[in-house]
Amino acid sequence: MKALVKKSVKKGISVRWKLLLYMMGFVIVILLITWFFQIFLLGTFFRSTKKDEMRESADELVAQLGSESLQKTALSAAADHSLYISVYQIGAGTAEQILSTDTSGKNPVELPISRLEEFYKKAKRENNSFFSRFSFGYAEVPKESFWDKLPFGRKEYSENEISAKHMLLIYVRVAEDASGQEYLILMDAKLQPLSSTVRTLSRQYVWIAVIILLAAIGMALILYKKISAPIIRMNDSAKILSLGKYDVEFSGEGYRETRELAQTLNYAAHELSRADHLQKELIANISHDLRTPLTLIKGYGEVMRDLPDENTPENMQVIIDESARLSDLVNDLLDLSRMQAGARIPQPEIFDLTATVNEVLVRYDALVKHLGYHLEFVYDEHLWISADRSMILQVLYNLLNNAINYAGENKEVILTQEAIEQRVRISVTDKGHGIEPDQIPLIWDRYYKVDKIHKRTMIGTGLGLSIVKEIFNLHHAVYGVDSKLGEGSSFWFELPTVEIAQPKPIDYKTEKENESKLN
């Protein structure tokens, strides 16, 4: 199995390579996005911006048609946006050029009347304005599709195949002045600056991509060293922990997550160490408790076999008592295992909890009389609950046995019943030595001893509090321990009460006393 695990680990990808792959993938995506917007879509954005400038300039010219400020407005627009602007006055089958502005200093191109007529008709068909691209001699270039723009796309015309210095973006607009006179406004802009910019950016892009990729590799290696080094140390410590060396220390210097992981692993190592210690202690204690009755049974049996005079009822009673104690221990172990495995499920029923406590106390009368214990139950009224009665009886017996075992010299145990809103609290209090505060969370463990010295309990098997804890958890009860050194301990639990009309409850203790008086 270990060989299979090691083999699967070797086939996995280490943190270093994953960081490198993630970083390289991220950088490549960023570079592709940058190329797509800065190189591939640069022409689209440039032409979109240029078209907006042409529309705004045309709007300004339309506002000045028929006025003396037309020339000044055209010159300003041409200078601001690097445009060539021509304005034609449309007559009966004629087009007279009334304005021509070009900031380049070159002679404007004279268009034949047939070409102007084509522009005029096309503008009329397309809501008085349109855009188009033209090559040298005003030959219109067809529009490119998305796939034609890609580097691997086939295209009949492109800005690379037709000289950029001869590629023009044309805007034609037909408008009227206040008197109704029609004008044709023609604007064109050269795309030569765009082509030069694209070539410049493409060269820079290659160098930028190489530098960013190298930087990404360096960053991945740095992150690997910062992130994986604590993980590697913790992995080595975990291997030591798997060998059963629970004193290993996990260190996670660096990031918060690694520090928290180290703290969690240290806590887990501590809990595993405690669980291992308790497991060994459990085996030792069970062995002790099993050995004692078996030794007594064997010893008394051999004496009775070898010495006929020792075959007395007293010796036989010892064998019977130790056999019963051995049976109780095994039964408690089985009950605890069944509850922890979920095989024993509570069977709720409605019963009188107060009467049940009195019933339990009656069964301790012999102990009270012969050993001098004082058991007292303090309550104001009878309260009813819905729970598994046999399990609650088991709780009461175990809590009483625990209190008697640690009652101290005064041998006083007090049971108290309190009604708290719609709940009932049962407390079992002894006047013994008490429990250290840091030991209280541990007392529910199997065979855990506060004084760390395992001795035979006077009553019970030593598994009582573990069984009590499991029963409380199955009933979703609230429970706890209040203890002060030198004053004693109080074990308590709370369960919801049930409002029910019942006949007068039986007081087992009073009935027992009445029977004694009659006899």
Side-chain angles (χ1 to χ4, degrees), residues 395-439:
V395 166
L396 294 172
Y397 282 123
N398 286 328
L399 290 181
L400 275 170
N401 291 344
N402 182 75
I404 290 171
N405 288 328
Y406 294 96
E409 295 180 358
N410 61 4
K411 297 184 178 182
E412 181 180 356
V413 176
I414 299 175
L415 286 83
T416 306
Q417 175 184 284
E418 299 176 83
I420 305 174
E421 295 181 354
Q422 295 184 348
R423 303 178 69 85
V424 57
R425 171 183 282 207
I426 298 292
S427 302
V428 182
T429 306
D430 63 70
K431 302 297 182 180
H433 177 68
I435 307 171
E436 295 279 354
D438 59 336
Q439 302 294 314

Side-chain angles (χ1 to χ4, degrees), residues 44 56 141 210 254 318 339 350 441 489 502 512 516:
T44 302
E56 293 173 1
V141 178
V210 172
V318 172
M339 284 188 287
I350 297 175
S489 304
Q502 292 287 345
K512 189 78 173 179
S516 300

Side-chain angles (χ1 to χ4, degrees), residues 13-25:
I13 301 177
S14 66
V15 175
R16 174 173 54 187
W17 289 110
K18 282 190 176 182
L19 281 174
L20 183 60
L21 290 175
Y22 293 155
M23 186 65 71
M24 294 294 292

Side-chain angles (χ1 to χ4, degrees), residues 209-328:
V210 172
I211 293 172
I212 291 179
L213 287 173
L214 293 176
I217 294 174
M219 182 61 69
L221 295 176
I222 293 173
L223 289 176
Y224 162 73
K225 185 175 181 181
K226 292 290 185 180
I227 296 176
S228 64
I231 297 177
I232 292 174
R233 289 196 299 268
M234 285 189 283
N235 184 44
D236 294 337
S237 299
K239 292 177 181 177
I240 297 175
L241 178 64
S242 66
L243 299 177
K245 299 179 180 179
Y246 302 112
D247 58 345
V248 64
E249 185 71 21
F250 291 90
S251 61
E253 299 176 357
Y255 298 95
R256 183 189 67 184
E257 288 79 4
T258 55
R259 291 197 301 270
E260 291 178 352
L261 177 59
Q263 292 174 0
T264 303
L265 291 174
N266 284 325
Y267 176 76
H270 172 73
E271 291 299 309
L272 286 173
S273 175
R274 191 174 72 88
D276 181 68
H277 175 73
L278 291 175
Q279 181 182 18
K280 293 176 180 177
E281 188 178 78
L282 171 65
I283 294 174
N285 292 334
I286 290 179
S287 300
H288 178 275
D289 279 351
L290 288 174
R291 188 185 298 114
T292 301
L294 288 174
T295 301
L296 289 172
I297 292 171
K298 181 181 178 182
Y300 276 86
E302 289 177 348
V303 168
M304 294 171 66
R305 180 196 64 189
D306 298 335
L307 302 173
D309 294 339
E310 295 296 326
N311 193 0
T312 63
E314 290 79 8
N315 290 342
M316 186 64 68
Q317 187 61 44
V318 172
I319 294 177
I320 293 173
D321 291 342
E322 293 303 321
S323 298
R325 181 176 180 80
L326 189 62
S327 176
D328 290 342

